[in-house]
Amino acid sequence: MSLSETALPFDDIRNLVKSMPGPDEEALAKVRERDSQLTKPGGSLGRLEEIAEWLAAWSGKAPPVITRPMVAIFASAHGVAEEGVSAFPSAVNKQMVENFAAGGAAINQICRVNDIGLKVFDLAVDMPTPSITREDAMDEANCAATMAYGMEALAGGIDLICLGEMGIGNTTVAAAVFHGLFGGNAADWIGRGTGVDDEGLERKRAAVEKAVARLNGEKDPLEILRRTGGREIAAMAGLIIAARLQRVPVIVDGFVTTAAAAVVYAMDPAGLDHCLFAHVSAEHAHARVLEHMGKDALFDFGMRLGEGSGAALAAGFVKVAAETHSGMATFADAGVSEKS
């Protein structure tokens, strides 16, 4: 999927969003019909039944099937991290990319247990974007190119994509995106992230406030993204759009990945219907933004790691939902009496 060289870069993105397809109603109807015949009381599997319907609607497959799920981790670096908004130094970015490659991170273990592929995309972790308190994170061309790069993560027949990220300082950047998109005060959108103390939390609040003040009232979601966001957020926003166009269901992880989803939501509130939100992050503002967008997460385990860890856990539930729906016998197949 490529962007044209004739229009302004963001015009291409806007046109892609306008062309996003709706659900496959035929596949959805087939799943509902089969579900009514399975050897169980109707509705007895709760959200597993909803997930099976969601998979069919957005993949176009009935019964739903998952053969190649993948977690895509986008790693980036942020100049605002040097302003004391994180408990960890920026050197951790490269170190964690190496840890992912060596199989030593939490996400490696979750993917291994759930038989999910993992790919890490290094978005120049040695070259941080400028501090959003003073400069725009990206210009329009670079932001659009980064979104296009994220779109390419679907290459190779992926049929379920889980969003993941890693970048010291990116909860500050995500908070700025939320503040720019949804208003309120800077304090509404910040949390302790990697574990900052009270002084670090105040620096974080001030950084978000300065970054959004620089927007000067700008409300265009893509402009807010390029000016206050980061490369990983841009890449994930592009991936969400591409997944819709290619009928690949998406699982959104936590606080930072939801910032990418929020950009798409602000462009089109129906633009996230192919997305499942995995969990409620321990970052308190995550629940706030999910409520704002009318989204219900699958679970709340008090997690705030990132890396796609919550999304990979949720992918296990999604695989179970697909296998349960497709593998169960119908009343007729099993010779079981139906409800009278």
Side-chain angles (χ1 to χ4, degrees):
M1 184 177 301
S2 62
L3 304 180
S4 75
E5 298 179 357
T6 56
L8 291 172
F10 281 164
D11 288 344
D12 288 332
I13 301 294
R14 294 185 184 102
N15 288 335
L16 289 176
V17 171
K18 289 177 183 176
S19 68
M20 292 192 301
D24 187 318
E25 298 290 354
E26 182 178 353
L28 178 58
K30 287 180 179 179
V31 163
R32 287 175 173 166
E33 174 62 22
R34 175 172 168 77
D35 184 78
S36 70
Q37 300 172 32
L38 297 178
T39 49
K40 63 177 180 60
S44 60
L45 285 176
R47 289 202 72 176
L48 288 179
E49 296 178 17
E50 295 174 12
I51 291 170
E53 292 180 2
W54 168 78
L55 273 175
W58 295 107
S59 69
K61 299 174 184 175
V65 60
I66 299 171
T67 59
R68 196 169 179 193
M70 187 180 82
V71 172
I73 298 178
F74 296 92
S76 186
H78 305 272
V80 75
E82 304 309 316
E83 299 184 27
V85 298
S86 175
F88 288 84
S90 294
V92 168
N93 291 325
K94 186 172 183 178
Q95 293 163 1
M96 280 304 300
V97 168
E98 293 169 351
N99 193 30
F100 294 140
I107 188 61
N108 297 98
Q109 319 321 314
I110 299 170
C111 286
R112 176 175 51 80
V113 170
N114 283 335
D115 194 22
I116 301 169
L118 173 63
K119 190 167 183 180
V120 180
F121 298 86
D122 181 343
L123 299 171
V125 293
D126 291 327
M127 299 175 60
T129 52
S131 174
I132 57 173
T133 63
R134 299 185 298 271
E135 299 180 51
D136 295 339
M138 295 167 278
D139 62 25
E140 181 172 341
N142 283 330
C143 186
T146 305
M147 295 180 76
Y149 179 79
M151 294 175 181
E152 299 301 320
L154 288 176
I158 303 303
D159 55 15
L160 178 68
I161 191 75
C162 302
L163 301 184
E165 46 65 38
M166 196 287 304
I168 298 302
N170 68 4
T171 58
T172 300
V173 167
V177 171
F178 291 135
H179 185 19
L181 291 174
F182 302 134
N185 300 308
D188 297 333
W189 304 106
I190 63 166
R192 295 192 181 272
T194 52
V196 293
D197 57 17
D198 290 345
E199 290 78 10
L201 190 64
E202 173 55 27
R203 289 190 293 270
K204 193 171 187 177
R205 185 206 61 77
V208 171
E209 191 172 76
K210 290 177 184 176
V212 174
R214 287 183 50 258
L215 291 174
N216 220 10
E218 176 64 66
K219 291 301 179 185
D220 182 274
L222 292 175
E223 282 294 307
I224 292 170
L225 169 62
R226 81 161 184 88
R227 296 179 68 183
T228 67
R231 297 186 189 108
E232 74 275 63
I233 296 176
M236 291 187 294
L239 178 50
I240 289 170
I241 295 167
R244 178 68 163 262
L245 294 169
Q246 297 181 41
R247 291 208 171 277
V248 178
V250 176
I251 305 181
V252 181
D253 186 38
F255 186 72
V256 178
T257 59
T258 300
V263 171
V264 179
Y265 173 87
M267 297 178 73
D268 178 1
L272 299 182
D273 289 352
H274 64 304
C275 298
L276 185 70
F277 287 78
H279 71 115
V280 181
S281 171
E283 286 284 289
H284 73 91
H286 191 223
R288 180 188 182 98
V289 73
L290 290 177
E291 181 179 6
H292 185 97
M293 297 192 300
K295 301 299 181 181
D296 294 319
L298 277 180
F299 56 86
D300 181 354
F301 287 174
M303 298 170 65
R304 54 180 176 83
L305 176 62
E307 301 180 4
S309 52
L313 283 174
F317 297 142
V318 173
K319 291 174 70 175
V320 167
E323 289 294 326
T324 301
H325 177 86
S326 62
M328 281 184 70
T330 64
F331 285 102
D333 292 336
V336 175
S337 300
E338 299 188 52
K339 182 172 72 173
S340 59

